[in-house]
């Protein structure tokens, strides 16, 4: 993909609705966190961000378990920005109800809804909704098969082992222009091929290591699309980051939140404690974290989209306990400084 084509890249933002702290250091309520996320989406729209993604989680660090409701609230207060998930945990949801909810969001937003489907990086939703982890693979494969059939918005006949069969079933409401859908992939070749087989966009969740490490997955995706006789489809990247006036300010503001989130998850997964040295590596050229001044973040985004030929880059701007006020500043700088710089560098 040439720089001329890359100059049309979509630049978005993602959040999991991380529960943050107020000026006194106290954790905000889940309710206030959700209201803040809607305000963040409104600001992102005002400063020209292309997409705002909201993750689905069912654990105490994140306030958002029903992304579509939060996105519908944002849709009513925004005009141009596309609104979607990052990701929807399809394995523990029902594909029919999921399509209906997003078709409804698409109507409210005048065609701005997107869905990024995934298996999720956490497992709390499985026991919560009565699913067995031993069915992890079959749940996603079967439900993805049904969901992609529903995207045609024609009557569906389907049979599987994870839900009731359907015979010539029609689902409502219909959208006016179709629903854009992606699959979030963490780096499994099998997942890349599956994404191509179902004809959906590939969203790479790059949360560790240099972006060049993921180029073989992009090449595999394009080869697989060709083998399945499908047209070229978009490749996107999701990575964490934070923008402030200077590199040092951005590093100092972001580190505590990154450390808190990494250590919380690390205690469950057996990771070593997070250090400032590890953080500085992650924000450097060989890391997958986009923290710094507008110029630093823009250069790193440009390097990533050139390396991968990506047509979308979504920065996860909320990590850990970083305050709402600092996130709002990061969003403003991302829209008013980073996005123009990226376009200038690519054109």
């Amino acid at each position: 993909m040439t720089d001329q084509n890359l100059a049309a890249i979509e630049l978005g933002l993602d959040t999991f609705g991380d529960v943050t702290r107020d000026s006194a250091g106290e954790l905000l309520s889940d309710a206030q966190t959700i209201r803040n996320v809607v305000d963040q989406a409104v600001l992102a729209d005002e400063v020209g961000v292309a997409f705002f993604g909201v993750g689905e989680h069912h654990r105490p660090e994140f306030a958002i378990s029903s992304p579509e409701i939060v996105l519908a609230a944002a849709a009513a207060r925004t005009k141009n920005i596309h609104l979607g998930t990052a990701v929807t945990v399809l394995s523990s949801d029902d594909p029919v109800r999921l399509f209906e909810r997003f078709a409804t969001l698409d109507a409210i937003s005048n065609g701005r809804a997107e869905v990024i489907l995934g298996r999720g990086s956490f497992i709390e939703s499985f026991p919560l909704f009565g699913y067995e982890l031993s069915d992890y693979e079959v749940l996603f494969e079967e439900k993805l098969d049904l969901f992609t059939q529903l995207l045609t918005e024609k009557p569906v006949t389907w049979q599987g082992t994870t839900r009731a069969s359907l015979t010539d079933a029609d689902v409502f409401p219909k959208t006016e222009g179709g629903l854009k859908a992606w699959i979030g992939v963490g780096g499994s070749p099998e997942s890349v091929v599956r994404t191509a087989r179902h004809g959906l966009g590939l969203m790479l969740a790059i949360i560790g290591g240099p972006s060049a490490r993921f180029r073989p997955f992009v090449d595999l995706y394009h080869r697989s699309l060709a083998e399945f006789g499908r047209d070229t489809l978009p490749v996107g990247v999701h990575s964490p980051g934070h923008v402030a006036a200077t590199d040092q300010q951005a590093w100092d503001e972001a580190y505590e939140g990154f450390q808190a989130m990494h250590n919380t998850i690390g205690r469950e997964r057996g990771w070593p404690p997070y250090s400032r040295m590890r953080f500085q590596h992650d924000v450097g050229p060989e890391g997958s974290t986009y923290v710094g001044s507008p110029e630093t973040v823009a250069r790193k985004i440009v390097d990533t989209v050139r390396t991968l030929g990506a047509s979308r880059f979504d920065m996860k701007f909320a990590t850990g306990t970083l305050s709402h006020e600092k996130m709002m500043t990061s969003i403003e700088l991302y829209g008013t400084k980073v996005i123009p710089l990226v376009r200038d560098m690519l054109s």
Side-chain angles (χ1 to χ4, degrees):
M1 188 178 292
T2 66
D3 277 7
Q4 185 176 2
N5 293 329
L6 288 174
I9 186 173
E10 296 177 328
L11 291 155
L13 292 167
D14 291 336
T15 177
F16 295 167
D18 305 57
V19 177
T20 62
R21 297 186 183 277
D22 61 19
S23 58
E26 297 296 324
L27 284 174
L28 299 179
S29 66
D30 290 346
Q32 185 60 55
T33 300
I34 290 170
R35 290 191 289 268
N36 287 347
V37 168
V38 175
D39 289 342
Q40 291 157 12
V42 172
L43 176 59
D45 184 49
E46 291 172 352
V47 297
V49 176
F51 173 82
F52 191 86
V54 174
E56 173 197 347
H57 293 85
H58 304 270
R59 51 184 293 135
E61 296 85 12
F62 309 113
I64 297 173
S65 59
S66 300
E68 302 89 338
I69 296 178
V70 178
L71 294 169
R77 294 179 55 194
T78 55
K79 296 179 180 179
N80 300 308
I81 196 166
H82 280 225
L83 302 162
T85 46
V87 299
T88 288
V89 185
L90 178 61
S91 304
S92 55
D93 210 331
D94 180 78
V96 175
R97 292 293 292 142
L98 181 63
F99 178 84
E100 290 175 338
R101 297 197 305 268
F102 271 90
T104 302
L105 174 64
D106 198 64
I108 294 169
S109 64
N110 280 316
R112 293 184 282 131
E114 299 185 17
V115 58
I116 303 177
L117 306 165
R119 291 181 287 186
S121 58
F122 299 97
I123 60 173
E124 288 82 5
S125 64
F126 287 82
L128 190 63
F129 298 116
Y131 294 102
E132 297 293 336
L133 277 174
S134 57
D135 296 329
Y136 189 80
E137 290 292 338
V138 69
L139 282 166
F140 189 69
E141 184 59 58
E142 286 195 3
K143 292 185 177 189
L144 180 59
D145 178 61
L146 175 54
F147 191 83
T148 53
Q149 292 187 50
L150 294 168
L151 288 173
T152 67
E153 304 196 37
K154 298 175 182 178
V156 169
T157 296
W158 180 90
Q159 187 172 8
T161 63
T162 55
R163 74 174 312 280
S165 300
L166 298 173
T167 302
D168 205 30
D170 216 355
V171 175
F172 304 94
K174 305 295 184 184
T175 69
E176 293 176 324
L179 179 64
K180 187 174 183 178
W182 309 67
I183 297 181
V185 173
S188 158
E190 294 79 12
S191 296
V192 172
V193 173
R194 175 166 48 206
T195 302
R197 185 173 76 248
H198 286 286
L200 302 180
L202 176 69
M203 181 62 67
L204 291 167
I206 303 179
I207 57 175
S211 57
R213 185 166 63 91
F214 287 78
R215 181 70 212 195
F217 296 110
V218 175
D219 294 338
L220 174 62
Y221 177 61
H222 290 312
R223 288 198 307 272
S224 300
L225 286 172
E227 290 171 3
F228 291 124
R230 296 192 178 277
D231 295 333
T232 300
L233 290 167
V235 172
V237 174
H238 157 103
S239 290
H242 175 64
V243 190
T246 67
D247 287 347
Q248 190 66 52
Q249 181 182 347
W251 298 338
D252 291 343
E253 289 179 353
Y255 173 67
E256 183 179 352
F258 274 82
Q259 181 191 43
M261 184 56 61
H262 186 281
N263 287 344
T264 296
I265 299 170
R267 282 190 290 271
E268 300 172 6
R269 301 183 180 181
W271 298 346
Y274 198 65
S275 68
R276 186 65 185 246
M277 184 179 295
R278 167 69 185 278
F279 173 79
Q280 293 302 150
H281 173 270
D282 290 345
V283 302
E286 294 301 306
S288 60
T289 303
Y290 297 69
V291 175
S293 68
E295 294 78 12
T296 295
V297 172
R299 282 194 299 269
K300 196 165 183 177
I301 291 173
V302 167
D303 180 65
T304 294
V305 299
R306 279 179 171 156
T307 299
L308 300 179
S311 58
R312 181 139 109 215
F313 179 89
D314 294 339
M315 185 183 80
K316 181 181 178 289
F317 67 93
T319 299
T321 53
L322 184 69
S323 73
H324 171 60
E325 291 73 22
K326 289 183 173 64
M327 284 192 279
M328 292 290 272
T329 299
S330 181
I331 292 168
E332 184 173 6
L333 288 171
Y334 187 80
T336 62
K337 301 291 185 182
V338 174
I339 290 177
L341 283 167
V342 169
R343 298 205 186 284
D344 287 346
M345 292 176 189
L346 289 172
S347 63

